[in-house]
Amino acid sequence: MAKDEFSLEGGSGEKPPGRKGNGMYCSPAMLAFTILTVCVLIAATALLVFYIPDRTVVVDAATKAPQVGKTTVAAVKTPEPANPTMEPVNPTMEPVRPTTEAPSDLMKGRLPTSVLPRRYELNLRPFLYDDDVPDSKLGQRFTFDGWVRIKVQCMEATDEITLHAKHITIHGMPTVHSVSTLDKTDIFESHTMVEEYAFLVLKLKEMLRPHEEYDIYIVYSGILGDDEAGFYPSMYMDSMNNTRYIATTQMEGPYARRVLPCFDEPTFKASYDVQLEHRTDMSALSNGIDIRRIQLDSHWSRTYFKRVPSMPTYLLAFIVNDYDHIDVVNPNGCLIRIWTEKDLIGLAPYALNVSDLVQTYLDEYMDSEFPLDKQDHIAIQDFGAGAMENWGLITYQDIYLLYGMEDFGDNTFYSEIITHELAHMWFGNLVTMEWWDDLWLNEGFATYFEHIGVDFVHPEFKKFERYYIDTVNVALFYDSLGTYPSIRAPVYATDEDIGNQFTRITYQKGGSIIWMMEHFLTLEVFNVGIQNYLKERAYKNANAEHLWHELTYADKDVGKHDVKKIMDTWTLQLGYPLITLTRTGQDVVATQKLFLQVNRTAQDEEFGNLGYRWYVPLTYVYKSGPADQYEKPEKVWMEPEDYSYFTLPDEAASDDWYLANAKMVGLYRVNYEDDNWQRLLDQAATDPSVFIEENRVGLIYDTFYLAQAEVIPNSVYLNFSALLEPSSNSTRRAVVATSSYIAKMLLSDDIRRSVSSVQTYMQRLVEPLYAESGWDATFIPDVQTASGRQGKKSRIDVTSMACFYGNSHCVSKATEMFEDFVNNPTSNLIPLNQRSVVYCSGIRFGGQSEWDFAWNMMQTTNDRRERSRWVSALTCSRDASLLKSYLPLVLDATVFNRKDAEVILMGVAENPAGYGVAWDFIRSEWGAITAMFKRNRQQNLADIFEEMTSFFNTPQRLQELLEFGNDRQFGGMQTVYESAITTTEVNIRWMANSAEQTKQWIDSRVYKQW
């Protein structure tokens, strides 16, 4: 039941008076025995309470539905609030114990804490070219030599030290000696490798003494790998078409162990003194600023870097390069530099400007200045992770940093990426999660701050109005599949399990629950809480409990929320609630249940099941509400029970509509009784502007997904889409996005029905957006959001879509420009930001000759960006035979690199004429393809698999999908595979129950005056 407040305190009423006279005699012995028994029980209970994690389980009690509208209705109404905000209360401010204490099996592969690192001193020398090899200890190119000295502190007496090392060759014998005493005797005895956990175990001649410090010294060599993890080479072509190499790093997940023997877990923070040896004609970067460079001989130099304070191994970075840079010193005295290939330095100014503005702004916003002397941002061609927040040295795939590198055009994209990474300087770097099960503390906050940074740099983009579209709606989609674990699910110490944490749930759901907290706490309280969190945990580790405590403390004299109690329901169980509201008179009954696209029983999770009920900060507005009601909506707290109740204000008329989730800041979907749906439709028909834009968009998406799950009739969505679509640019885009699903289903090659009306319908939907975009020199194609690396594209490339659906003006314009270029290939007059659209359309609406022309251009151009456009454009063909001939070439490394292979596979997978071709190819070459998409590129393969299978809508395709999984181990792709099955089941159901009605509705719209 919804209450005005809830408390951790018990009731305060007096006990009823006891009876007198009728007693029972108790002997002294019996009394002593009774007292002893009670004491034992109390002690046992106390021990259980202390040692068992707080896993409050909400039992599905047999709560009866309220009898609204009858004589008992007064009992249904919300009582007069003791706390006017009607919010959960935590009257005590005691620190809370963690809710994710790991069972013992989760500790397999985890390092012991008997010895902790305090400082690393590291020296490395990479061998990139043939003339480097004579100095290599391994005598090979693409290797590195190094040594590391680790100062450690003994916490518990032990005669062995366990750290991580993988694919490392140790030279000679490590040494271990005390630095706390004058005795410098080497106490190292032997070492062993535990391959299963990548452990390097150093056996010692004597016990280490607690609180004393020791030095470990190891000389070793390693491999510059080919999977863009650890220390690896990246190749590029310079302006003279010469092949050049740099050596760069990617340590996140557990890849630092490939680069140096180390304590490769987030909680083992230490300081770092780094020195890099490199060719004299190259330079070096690391986390700290370079402080000295000396020349060792005619071939080698060494660069020393300033010590970096307390940092986990996954943020360690160093790059040996021959790049150029531009720089600026920000108002707080921090040197900011953008590094890139010399030929691309002209694309760096926008990134420098945004980095300067956002970093300076965040210094003030966090009430904590960035602590290092410099912040480098570097563009790297081969970088599967997209971008990585290494402290003081942020690495990017070049197309994510350099404005103009691709045909993205929209500088919002670049400012989001840069802001996301800079937010990590505080959330992840200054304060680091204790273990990977709280990765959302890093990525959720970085996603949340994307909008804050972009709004500061580009307030004209109104980024906060897009939070629902960019973040919340993405989380709602993926979390409704029932295949992703909770946001704080257990994480095992394996490469695979750690890698699986980088999902839409971690990014988008993490960002969504933070956004929701900001609103129910208020921005002022929330900001005080996170500033206190950063100060309290600076240079240390944190888990969610630390955040809950600081937010609760900040709110203790305001809303008095028990943040832990609320947020445990959102972080310890998968999914989110569907809120169903039913009104009788002024009284509303609210029910909640787990919302899944396919009706199935959700499995209880390993870390406790809270009954799939939530504390829900329900907000609502109503027809007769005040003018500022969207800024100050009515608030009701739903407790984790089957039924909650609230009463509409007296001002709400009996025929008023009411609308929940004001501004769409809550992570839930909402269903209503039929009468309220009709009233909302009537309002949309008369004046949709009464609904704020976020809620208009929310009505479109909520009704679409509720209809898809068959919670409401499909006609409700169709009617809202028709009524709300013309009201704004955002609602037009929402209708185009949801209608694209309908078009995908009805235009699928697997169905092969005549649906020209669907094509016409989509043309008409896109037409107003296309007319607005235009083809002039300022035309800007849309692109996915920064955190869209972990989610669906939330924006629409309007011009490409207009051409795709056959808009006559778009097709004519694109094919005309393409033909002009074919006729005069030495003079390309197509504007750079229009070439991708033109090339794709020229091939889609052309034939063999256009294909041959594109193939020849791809092979002969020396411009990497131009070549990438042709590689992608060739996937646009509607000729399946051409696509079948194109796909196998991705396995030939002499023709296409891994990045090209990703572009080709995705292009064919999202092509209605190609997804079947891609499916056949991927099934037949699964082993070779998965070998290409190793480590940080596995998410790209997941995106390809998801896009390809999103077309599947027949029982035959479902059977093929199920057979493909028989006896196959998908590893990190398992969740994606299971999600594909769920999506296919949803599509089959939609085709069976909604396709015909939707087709008839579209026909009626198309064949009458629109």
Side-chain angles (χ1 to χ4, degrees):
M1 179 183 291
K3 300 178 182 177
D4 296 316
E5 60 179 319
F6 64 83
S7 174
L8 298 183
E9 298 175 335
S12 58
E14 295 180 355
K15 296 180 180 179
R19 296 184 183 180
K20 295 182 180 180
N22 294 328
M24 183 176 69
Y25 174 76
C26 184
S27 70
M30 184 180 295
L31 179 62
F33 177 80
T34 302
I35 293 172
L36 179 61
T37 302
V38 169
C39 290
V40 169
L41 288 173
I42 291 173
T45 302
L47 288 171
L48 285 171
V49 168
F50 183 82
Y51 285 107
I52 294 179
D54 182 5
R55 297 283 178 204
T56 305
V57 177
V58 180
V59 180
D60 290 336
T63 307
K64 294 183 179 179
Q67 302 298 302
V68 292
K70 297 186 179 181
T71 55
T72 58
V73 71
V76 175
K77 293 185 178 181
T78 306
E80 287 298 318
N83 168 28
T85 59
M86 298 190 296
E87 294 160 345
V89 175
N90 177 13
T92 65
M93 288 308 305
E94 295 299 321
V96 290
R97 296 180 68 244
T99 51
T100 56
E101 292 181 12
S104 59
D105 60 337
L106 279 174
M107 298 307 294
K108 291 179 180 178
R110 298 285 297 272
L111 292 174
T113 56
S114 52
V115 175
L116 301 181
R118 297 307 183 200
R119 184 171 70 248
Y120 292 86
E121 185 180 353
L122 177 66
N123 185 95
L124 294 176
R125 174 187 288 189
F127 304 100
L128 291 169
Y129 295 95
D130 289 335
D131 59 345
D132 298 338
V133 173
D135 295 320
S136 165
K137 287 185 171 68
L138 297 180
Q140 298 177 32
R141 189 178 173 188
F142 298 133
T143 62
F144 64 90
D145 291 340
W147 56 261
V148 64
R149 178 175 286 110
I150 312 173
K151 178 183 284 187
V152 299
Q153 184 175 16
C154 175
M155 309 306 292
E156 299 175 9
T158 180
D159 62 353
E160 63 181 30
I161 301 173
T162 303
L163 28 69
H164 287 109
K166 190 171 186 177
H167 302 161
I168 282 175
T169 300
I170 295 177
H171 302 296
M173 291 296 172
T175 63
V176 179
H177 65 81
S178 173
V179 296
S180 298
T181 66
L182 296 177
D183 184 2
K184 302 305 178 185
T185 303
D186 181 10
I187 60 175
F188 171 80
E189 182 174 274
S190 63
H191 66 84
T192 58
M193 292 295 302
V194 182
E195 298 293 340
E196 182 181 4
Y197 304 126
F199 282 169
L200 170 62
V201 181
L202 307 180
K203 184 67 176 175
L204 308 177
K205 298 174 183 177
E206 63 184 50
M207 299 290 285
L208 301 182
R209 292 175 291 276
H211 311 301
E212 291 194 6
E213 293 185 332
Y214 298 83
D215 260 356
I216 305 168
Y217 180 75
I218 304 174
V219 180
Y220 64 97
S221 296
I223 305 297
L224 296 176
D226 65 351
D227 56 358
E228 299 174 10
F231 203 10
Y232 70 93
S234 175
M235 184 194 78
Y236 73 94
M237 307 296 289
D238 66 17
S239 59
M240 302 302 292
N241 211 30
N242 297 313
T243 300
R244 306 292 302 170
Y245 291 93
I246 68 170
T248 185
T249 55
Q250 171 60 25
M251 306 295 195
E252 191 183 44
Y255 304 138
R257 61 194 64 177
R258 298 177 173 200
V259 185
L260 71 157
C262 61
F263 297 81
D264 198 13
E265 292 183 9
T267 194
F268 290 86
K269 300 180 81 168
S271 60
Y272 292 83
D273 291 327
V274 175
Q275 53 197 52
L276 295 177
E277 296 179 5
H278 50 87
R279 295 169 60 97
T280 299
D281 59 356
M282 301 182 78
S283 59
L285 298 170
S286 189
N287 303 87
I289 194 167
D290 50 300
I291 54 177
R292 184 163 57 106
R293 172 172 171 158
I294 62 173
Q295 187 161 336
L296 301 175
D297 56 35
S298 61
H299 194 78
W300 298 103
S301 294
R302 181 188 296 139
T303 299
Y304 297 82
F305 300 92
K306 187 173 181 179
R307 178 177 298 171
V308 177
S310 181
M311 184 177 75
T313 50
Y314 80 83
L315 294 175
L316 183 62
F318 24 84
I319 302 173
V320 173
N321 68 91
D322 54 4
Y323 282 5
D324 199 358
H325 76 278
I326 58 175
D327 60 63
V328 67
V329 177
N330 79 356
N332 294 328
C334 181
L335 174 65
I336 299 173
R337 301 183 291 197
I338 309 296
W339 295 82
T340 182
E341 299 167 26
K342 293 181 174 67
D343 301 333
L344 299 177
I345 198 67
L347 302 177
Y350 179 77
L352 182 64
N353 182 52
V354 170
S355 302
D356 180 16
L357 291 172
V358 172
Q359 183 173 320
T360 305
Y361 178 62
L362 292 181
D363 280 347
E364 180 180 358
Y365 196 99
M366 308 293 189
D367 193 26
S368 170
E369 282 190 16
F370 177 71
L372 304 185
D373 297 290
K374 60 89 179 177
Q375 178 66 75
D376 287 322
H377 304 254
I378 186 165
I380 300 165
Q381 183 170 329
D382 300 313
F383 193 72
M388 177 61 206
E389 64 272 15
N390 312 299
W391 213 3
L393 178 53
I394 303 175
T395 45
Y396 302 78
Q397 187 175 343
D398 50 12
I399 62 172
Y400 289 160
L401 179 65
L402 303 178
Y403 180 34
M405 184 75 186
E406 290 286 320
D407 298 345
F408 292 161
D410 187 353
N411 48 13
T412 310
F413 175 69
Y414 299 93
S415 53
E416 282 175 346
I417 290 267
I418 293 168
T419 300
H420 183 102
E421 302 310 322
L422 284 174
H424 278 307
M425 300 304 109
W426 290 266
F427 294 95
N429 299 9
L430 183 66
V431 179
T432 306
M433 76 277 179
E434 287 181 353
W435 183 242
W436 299 101
D437 55 356
D438 270 319
L439 180 63
W440 76 277
L441 290 174
N442 293 15
E443 300 301 346
F445 270 104
T447 300
Y448 167 80
F449 272 98
E450 286 176 17
H451 294 72
I452 293 173
V454 175
D455 185 69
F456 176 72
V457 176
H458 294 293
E460 68 275 14
F461 293 152
K462 300 180 179 179
K463 282 296 295 177
F464 289 114
E465 293 181 9
R466 291 193 55 85
Y467 202 100
Y468 170 75
I469 295 293
D470 293 343
T471 305
V472 179
N473 196 47
V474 177
L476 290 170
F477 169 77
Y478 284 101
D479 218 14
S480 69
L481 297 176
T483 54
Y484 287 86
S486 64
I487 203 168
R488 298 187 67 200
V491 180
Y492 293 84
T494 64
D495 291 11
E496 180 181 298
D497 216 33
I498 293 170
N500 286 344
Q501 301 314 300
F502 295 86
T503 68
R504 282 86 176 179
I505 300 304
T506 300
Y507 285 73
Q508 272 73 31
K509 187 175 183 180
S512 297
I513 64 173
I514 291 169
W515 178 245
M516 186 169 66
M517 279 195 294
E518 179 217 293
H519 282 81
F520 75 68
L521 288 170
T522 74
L523 179 60
E524 294 73 20
V525 168
F526 181 77
N527 282 347
V528 169
I530 63 172
Q531 289 172 2
N532 289 343
Y533 167 78
L534 292 173
K535 290 182 176 69
E536 178 66 25
R537 306 308 301 175
Y539 301 104
K540 294 183 284 189
N541 293 89
N543 58 41
E545 312 303 326
H546 296 109
L547 178 64
W548 304 155
H549 179 69
E550 294 301 336
L551 291 174
T552 301
Y553 184 83
D555 195 42
K556 65 185 176 67
D557 295 323
V558 186
K560 301 179 180 178
H561 297 82
D562 182 352
V563 178
K564 170 184 166 54
K565 196 166 188 177
I566 297 167
M567 297 310 298
D568 274 357
T569 66
W570 294 94
T571 58
L572 295 180
Q573 53 187 353
L574 64 82
Y576 58 87
L578 167 64
I579 307 300
T580 299
L581 303 177
T582 305
R583 177 183 180 184
T584 303
Q586 296 297 95
D587 300 305
V588 179
V589 180
T591 65
Q592 58 167 295
K593 69 174 183 178
L594 176 67
F595 178 68
L596 295 176
Q597 280 291 335
V598 174
N599 290 326
R600 58 166 61 102
T601 301
Q603 297 297 315
D604 292 352
E605 293 194 78
E606 238 176 303
F607 252 159
N609 170 25
L610 298 175
Y612 295 108
R613 299 292 185 269
W614 292 260
Y615 285 103
V616 181
L618 184 70
T619 60
Y620 68 92
V621 296
Y622 56 99
K623 183 176 182 179
S624 302
D628 64 346
Q629 65 175 336
Y630 284 98
E631 297 301 324
K632 300 177 181 179
E634 299 291 326
K635 300 177 182 179
V636 174
W637 273 101
M638 293 179 62
E639 294 194 12
E641 300 174 357
D642 288 340
Y643 298 95
S644 298
Y645 319 106
F646 64 92
T647 302
L648 296 174
D650 293 339
E651 294 80 11
S654 60
D655 61 348
D656 268 10
W657 52 260
Y658 62 101
L659 181 64
N661 203 1
K663 301 183 78 172
M664 304 304 293
V665 300
L667 188 68
Y668 50 85
R669 296 203 188 275
V670 185
N671 183 25
Y672 306 93
E673 80 276 7
D674 292 345
D675 287 346
N676 196 60
W677 276 125
Q678 188 58 54
R679 289 171 185 144
L680 291 169
L681 280 167
D682 292 342
Q683 181 64 68
T686 55
D687 182 11
S689 66
V690 169
F691 305 132
I692 197 171
E693 183 160 295
E694 293 97 314
N695 279 103
R696 274 177 275 153
V697 172
L699 279 167
I700 293 167
Y701 279 108
D702 265 5
T703 56
F704 172 76
Y705 285 110
L706 292 178
Q708 190 183 54
E710 300 191 337
V711 173
I712 62 174
N714 192 44
S715 59
V716 177
Y717 158 71
L718 295 174
N719 290 330
F720 269 115
S721 69
L723 295 171
L724 295 176
E725 180 262 330
S727 65
S728 72
N729 183 285
S730 294
T731 55
R732 289 186 188 278
R733 288 170 178 265
V735 173
V736 168
T738 53
S739 297
S740 294
Y741 171 83
I742 295 171
K744 177 180 283 189
M745 292 297 98
L746 297 180
L747 297 175
S748 166
D749 276 359
D750 290 334
I751 302 301
R752 295 184 177 87
R753 63 172 73 185
S754 176
V755 283
S756 60
S757 59
V758 177
Q759 197 92 1
T760 304
Y761 174 68
M762 293 304 299
Q763 289 176 16
R764 292 186 182 180
L765 285 179
V766 177
E767 173 65 33
L769 297 171
Y770 170 70
E772 180 183 303
S773 291
W775 278 88
D776 58 31
T778 61
F779 157 70
I780 298 177
D782 293 314
V783 0
Q784 67 185 43
T785 59
S787 53
R789 301 187 305 280
Q790 297 295 335
K792 280 187 175 294
K793 293 182 180 180
S794 59
R795 302 180 194 161
I796 303 163
D797 186 337
V798 171
T799 306
S800 292
M801 184 171 283
C803 285
F804 175 82
Y805 285 115
N807 176 283
S808 58
H809 179 272
C810 185
V811 173
S812 175
K813 181 77 172 177
T815 54
E816 180 182 332
M817 285 194 284
F818 189 85
E819 185 178 350
D820 288 344
F821 182 43
V822 170
N823 293 331
N824 187 11
T826 59
S827 178
N828 192 344
L829 301 179
I830 304 170
L832 288 173
N833 59 338
Q834 298 174 10
R835 289 184 182 180
S836 292
V837 177
V838 170
Y839 294 173
C840 181
S841 299
I843 293 171
R844 174 177 288 119
F845 298 103
Q848 183 71 51
S849 61
E850 285 78 11
W851 170 278
D852 292 340
F853 173 80
W855 177 264
N856 182 63
M857 295 303 297
M858 180 199 70
Q859 288 190 306
T860 56
T861 182
N862 291 326
D863 186 325
R864 175 160 65 95
R865 286 170 285 175
E866 188 71 357
R867 183 181 183 279
S868 294
R869 295 184 185 105
W870 289 117
V871 168
S872 177
L874 286 164
T875 69
C876 296
S877 176
R878 295 183 292 184
D879 186 335
S881 64
L882 291 174
L883 297 176
K884 285 180 181 177
S885 67
Y886 192 34
L887 273 182
L889 297 175
V890 303
L891 302 179
D892 187 345
T894 65
V895 180
F896 293 117
N897 60 31
R898 277 181 300 207
K899 189 176 175 183
D900 292 335
E902 292 172 11
V903 170
I904 294 167
L905 285 167
M906 177 58 86
V908 177
E910 64 186 4
N911 183 343
Y915 72 88
V917 176
W919 176 229
D920 291 341
F921 177 72
I922 285 177
R923 280 187 294 172
S924 65
E925 300 292 347
W926 180 251
I929 290 170
T930 53
M932 292 169 53
F933 289 85
K934 292 184 287 188
R935 306 300 174 190
N936 292 306
R937 290 192 178 271
Q938 191 173 79
Q939 180 59 50
N940 300 331
L941 178 57
D943 292 340
I944 292 165
F945 196 86
E946 177 188 328
E947 186 63 38
M948 175 185 66
T949 55
S950 69
F951 286 91
F952 291 5
N953 59 3
T954 66
Q956 178 185 346
R957 289 296 192 196
L958 177 59
Q959 186 60 35
E960 291 173 356
L961 194 56
L962 293 172
E963 290 175 356
F964 181 62
N966 286 342
D967 301 321
R968 191 182 301 275
Q969 298 298 318
F970 287 99
M973 291 281 293
Q974 184 65 36
T975 298
V976 177
Y977 172 71
E978 293 173 358
S979 298
I981 293 173
T982 298
T983 300
T984 303
E985 292 172 343
V986 171
N987 294 347
I988 292 171
R989 183 182 63 196
W990 190 90
M991 292 299 299
N993 300 337
S994 301
E996 188 57 37
Q997 178 207 22
T998 304
K999 174 65 168 54
Q1000 291 175 6
W1001 184 86
I1002 289 174
D1003 288 345
S1004 69
R1005 297 272 292 166
V1006 167
Y1007 298 129
K1008 72 175 184 179
Q1009 186 66 34
W1010 190 333

